[in-house]
Amino acid sequence: MGLFNRRGKPSRAGRTAPTAMLGSGRKLTSSLPLGAAVQCVEDLMDSYRDRAYPHLPHLVPAGHTWHGPAEEAPATVYASQDQAGDFLLLTFGRTGGGTLLGVFPLGSGHERLQMPLIGNLKMRDGSLSSVGTFPERSVALTAPAVPRTLVEDTLTTAGFPHTPENLAVLADQLFTMTVTSGFQFINHLESEAAGRRWSADWRQRAEECTTLVEPIQMVVDDLAAWNTDTLPFIQDIPLRPQSILLEAVGNQGSIWEKLERS
């Protein structure tokens, strides 16, 4: 297709995507440093289920805006699923003594905060303590941000050079896979005809994009604007196509056979 050979100005996509306020969340403290606290939750999720793809972690960076007290603002935020497969937003903030963790399930009401996940996590982190709740509307979901170096990172992990041809071919493939995901959402919630219209529109607008990842961000942002109910379920879209492609490295007939090795 050759859509992604021009790489001038930075992407403007994703800045106006709508938000969805979440309800209250559990508030916990841990003496673990932030990175270790994140890994502890990732390990717990590993005990619940296998990863969908080896390169796709259970915790994926989440689009969000923080509306709570500035002193409790998280340093990093992830989307994941609990032991039952239900959506969770997990916030991690640095404190003088370790990490402040927030666990936000969907819905409202106090009962939903009584999660087995908390007890399971305390068994892994003996320093974890419950210290109350974050009030509702402390955090909102937004469309996830596509990493600016997604295409380059994918090539590096797969062991391929960053040639202009490799970058263009892989960017096209990641975009095509993202369009397919967008079509599936719209087909399921509206109609196949609507999904096809959106897909055609994305492909046309991609011709005007100026960075490798702007077309992918465009699809993600449009899904959020089309129906904010999709926000919990599109958080892994930026990384899922990458993970699928990385699993295919070395497979006969895969896209990797089309790329330059040197």
Side-chain angles (χ1 to χ4, degrees):
M1 292 170 59
L3 297 180
F4 308 116
N5 290 323
R6 294 173 296 156
R7 304 181 61 194
K9 58 189 177 181
S11 172
R12 297 187 300 273
R15 301 308 94 196
T16 59
T19 64
M21 285 289 183
L22 295 185
S24 58
R26 288 286 294 271
K27 184 189 297 187
L28 306 105
T29 58
S30 169
S31 64
L32 294 177
L34 189 145
V38 172
Q39 187 60 53
C40 186
V41 179
E42 177 73 21
D43 291 343
L44 175 61
M45 300 306 185
D46 262 331
S47 73
Y48 288 154
R49 65 182 67 85
D50 293 335
R51 291 183 175 187
Y53 303 97
H55 291 276
L56 183 64
H58 295 288
L59 276 62
V60 296
H64 70 282
T65 53
W66 180 254
H67 298 276
E71 64 272 16
E72 294 183 332
T76 187
V77 177
Y78 294 94
S80 190
Q81 296 176 337
D82 65 12
Q83 70 280 3
D86 296 324
F87 176 85
L88 289 176
L89 190 75
L90 299 151
T91 65
F92 297 85
R94 293 184 176 89
T95 68
T99 300
L100 179 66
L101 171 62
V103 184
F104 296 84
L106 293 180
S108 60
H110 183 72
E111 288 186 359
R112 81 193 207 295
L113 299 182
Q114 306 307 311
M115 296 171 282
L117 176 141
I118 302 298
N120 294 338
L121 192 56
K122 287 181 176 180
M123 292 177 66
R124 289 177 173 267
D125 177 4
S127 71
L128 194 68
S129 298
S130 298
V131 291
T133 61
F134 289 101
E136 62 180 16
R137 304 181 69 83
S138 292
V139 65
L141 279 178
T142 68
V146 179
R148 291 179 298 171
T149 58
L150 177 68
V151 181
E152 292 88 345
D153 292 346
T154 308
L155 286 171
T156 297
T157 303
F160 284 80
H162 297 185
T163 65
E165 179 66 18
N166 283 357
L167 289 166
V169 170
L170 192 60
D172 280 346
Q173 183 64 22
L174 288 167
F175 170 62
T176 296
M177 295 171 73
T178 305
V179 168
T180 299
S181 294
F183 168 82
Q184 290 170 343
F185 273 103
I186 294 172
N187 177 45
H188 177 68
L189 294 176
E190 189 171 333
S191 70
E192 180 178 351
R196 294 192 182 281
R197 287 195 301 271
W198 278 94
S199 298
D201 181 65
W202 287 325
R203 294 187 182 282
Q204 181 177 5
R205 290 160 57 202
E207 298 283 353
E208 303 301 319
C209 291
T210 57
T211 72
L212 294 175
V213 300
E214 189 175 351
I216 299 171
Q217 189 73 65
M218 172 186 66
V219 175
V220 174
D221 289 347
D222 280 354
L223 287 172
W226 166 71
N227 187 337
T228 56
D229 288 344
T230 67
L231 279 169
F233 311 106
I234 64 174
Q235 297 298 320
D236 68 349
I237 281 184
L239 298 185
R240 182 174 287 268
Q242 177 196 54
S243 303
I244 293 171
L245 289 180
L246 289 173
E247 191 174 21
V249 172
N251 290 354
Q252 186 175 4
S254 73
I255 189 177
W256 300 105
E257 292 187 336
K258 302 177 183 178
L259 302 189
E260 302 169 351
R261 276 290 185 180
S262 60

